[in-house]
Every structure is written in structure tokens, then in C-alpha cells.
Amino acid sequence: MLIEIPSELEFSTTAENLINSAWNSLVKLISEYEVLEDLGSSNKTLNQYWVYAKPELTTALAMVQNAVEFYLKGEILSISPYLLISLDPRNLPKSSSNCDLSFSSFRMLDAQDLIKVHNAFANTRLSEEFQTWFQEMRSLRNKIMHTVDRAISVTPNDLARSILMCHKFLVGDHLWIAARYSYLDRSPEYGIRVEGGPPNHTYIILALHREISKIIKELTPSESKKYFNYDKKAHSTPCPTCHKIFEQNEYFDSKWTDEFINTLQTGQSSPGDCIICNQTTTS
């Protein structure tokens, strides 16, 4: 008998944790680079920074590929957990004929077979665009994990697009900020509730403004619109709702927000929507 079968939620949570870890690395690297810029570092020093950052960028990109595989495994498991198991009798655990076996003791499908199995049994097949992107990502991940290829170059933009593309394909359009909030709310840094202090929501919203501002500045206008529904060319203003949340922190200083983008968009089909808090302001 097969026991200890994981749930689809456990697979998707693991995938979310992986891409959020990759995002953590991305935000940290960009933040450190900005500090060097503010200190007036030379172009040589700034270029050298990304040379030293290459191992962290490539490792983070490999985590994104692993996240994609966990998402797909969760989708397949929701159809039937047996589809995830490589059922060649030669690969069955030795004790399979005389005792209960944990799901994790079986050999799982190879990554190259995930799309084939998914599309054979799922109600909705994965798009050709996703399949092409997945194969490119898998090929690059294999090079990163199994060899040393000096030609591999992963930029912060590459990593940002991969994270956002992964989430867009497998979770849905413009859902990254909500997913990021959920992750931060259960993270070691923000998940622990401090007695007597402001609600953790205060710190999470501030962190989201800081992170999303850094990433959107790096994206092209079309990418910003694609992943965040944020028009970099449209008129925007600071969000008063978010500012009230910031002020709940007794140590808040308005200079913290000097480098934030204005997140309240106007002139769109839904004017006055803040991309962070989703509140609508009509004034």
C-alpha cells in the first residue's frame, strides 16, 4: 500500500518557497549594487561586482527551474499521485511486495517527462510558449548543475524575468505581489509577531514597496506591464493608503520612501489602483 502521499498544496508551497528564495537573492544583490553606486564606485568596481555575483545568480536561476518542476508535479499529483511514479518494475523499492511504502521512497518521473505526462492527462494542456521556455530553462539548469560553462551569463534582468515568467505561467497573471506577501508573512524575518509592536503588515507592505520598486526600475515598460500591470509611462502618485500603513511604525522616516516608485496608477482602465495594496483612490 502506498502511504504518506503529499498533497498538491505541499508541492506548490515548495515551489513558492524556491522562487521566493531566488527573489531574495535577486533583491539582495541589487540592493548591494545600489549601495556601491551611491558610494560613487568606479565602473570597473561595479562591473566586477556582477562577476563576483555570477555564482549566486546562476544558483538562483537553478532554483527557479526546480520550482517549475515542483509546480508541474503538483498539477500531475492532483490528477493522480500514481502518475508521478516511475512504474518500471525494476525501479520499485525492494520491499514493495510485502510492506507499506512511503510515496517518497519511489523514483519520480524525470523532469523531461513532466510536460508529456501533464498534457496527456490534464484537462488543459500547457501552452507551446511555456513548453519552449521550460526546455530552455531545463537545458540551462543542466549546464549550471552538471558542468562548468564559461559562456553562461545570468543577469539580474534574466533572473527577474524567469521568476516572474514562472509565476505567470503556472499561477496566473499579476499574482506575484500577493504571493510574495504570503511568503513574507510566513518568513523568519516577518512571520514572527512582536508583542506590543505594530502589526507585521506594516513591515511587509514597506518591504514590498522597496522590492517591487527595485525590480520595476530594472524592467522594460512592456515587461513591467506584463508582470505587474504597471505602466511606467503613465501618470502615477504615491499611495496614501500605503503611506498610512508606513506611519504605523513609530520609527518611520519619510526618507525611507525616497527611492520608491509611485504605485498609484491613474489613466488606466481602473484608475487609482495601487499595485501593492490594491486599494482604489479616486481623489
Side-chain angles (χ1 to χ4, degrees), residues 155-225:
T155 69
N157 287 21
D158 293 334
L159 180 55
R161 282 192 294 268
S162 294
I163 293 169
L164 296 168
M165 184 79 79
C166 169
H167 210 261
K168 174 183 170 66
F169 274 134
L170 297 168
V171 181
D173 285 339
H174 311 135
L175 296 177
W176 173 247
I177 293 177
R180 182 64 179 167
Y181 183 102
S182 178
Y183 173 82
L184 291 176
D185 196 39
R186 66 178 187 270
S187 69
E189 185 175 2
Y190 298 99
I192 303 300
R193 271 59 178 174
V194 179
E195 292 185 13
N200 285 21
H201 179 67
T202 302
Y203 302 112
I204 294 174
I205 291 295
L206 187 64
L208 285 173
H209 272 268
R210 182 180 298 111
E211 294 178 3
I212 300 304
S213 293
K214 293 180 186 299
I215 302 304
I216 285 182
K217 287 176 184 178
E218 298 292 325
L219 298 176
T220 66
S222 62
E223 290 169 342
S224 176
K225 185 72 174 175

Side-chain angles (χ1 to χ4, degrees), residues 86-222:
S86 180
L87 289 177
D88 187 334
R90 292 172 296 179
N91 296 328
L92 293 176
K94 293 181 180 179
S95 55
S96 59
S97 61
N98 52 32
C99 68
D100 293 343
L101 291 172
S102 171
F103 183 83
S104 62
S105 65
F106 286 84
R107 179 183 175 186
M108 297 293 104
L109 286 177
D110 291 335
Q112 63 185 1
D113 297 322
L114 291 173
I115 288 181
K116 184 187 303 182
V117 172
H118 178 280
N119 284 356
F121 296 97
N123 291 329
T124 304
R125 293 182 176 88
L126 297 164
S127 68
E128 290 292 335
E129 182 184 8
F130 172 82
Q131 293 182 55
T132 299
W133 176 77
F134 176 79
Q135 295 303 337
E136 291 172 351
M137 279 286 293
R138 197 172 71 84
S139 175
L140 181 58
R141 194 281 301 270
N142 288 341
K143 290 180 181 179
I144 292 171
M145 300 302 292
H146 301 301
T147 188
V148 176
D149 187 341
R150 295 177 181 175
I152 293 177
S153 177
V154 179
T155 69
N157 287 21
D158 293 334
L159 180 55
R161 282 192 294 268
S162 294
I163 293 169
L164 296 168
M165 184 79 79
C166 169
H167 210 261
K168 174 183 170 66
F169 274 134
L170 297 168
V171 181
D173 285 339
H174 311 135
L175 296 177
W176 173 247
I177 293 177
R180 182 64 179 167
Y181 183 102
S182 178
Y183 173 82
L184 291 176
D185 196 39
R186 66 178 187 270
S187 69
E189 185 175 2
Y190 298 99
I192 303 300
R193 271 59 178 174
V194 179
E195 292 185 13
N200 285 21
H201 179 67
T202 302
Y203 302 112
I204 294 174
I205 291 295
L206 187 64
L208 285 173
H209 272 268
R210 182 180 298 111
E211 294 178 3
I212 300 304
S213 293
K214 293 180 186 299
I215 302 304
I216 285 182
K217 287 176 184 178
E218 298 292 325
L219 298 176
T220 66
S222 62

Side-chain angles (χ1 to χ4, degrees), residues 227-245:
Y227 299 121
F228 293 107
N229 199 27
Y230 184 84
D231 189 346
K232 296 177 75 169
K233 298 180 180 180
H235 181 264
S236 60
T237 59
C239 175
T241 301
C242 288
H243 195 81
K244 289 179 181 178
I245 295 173

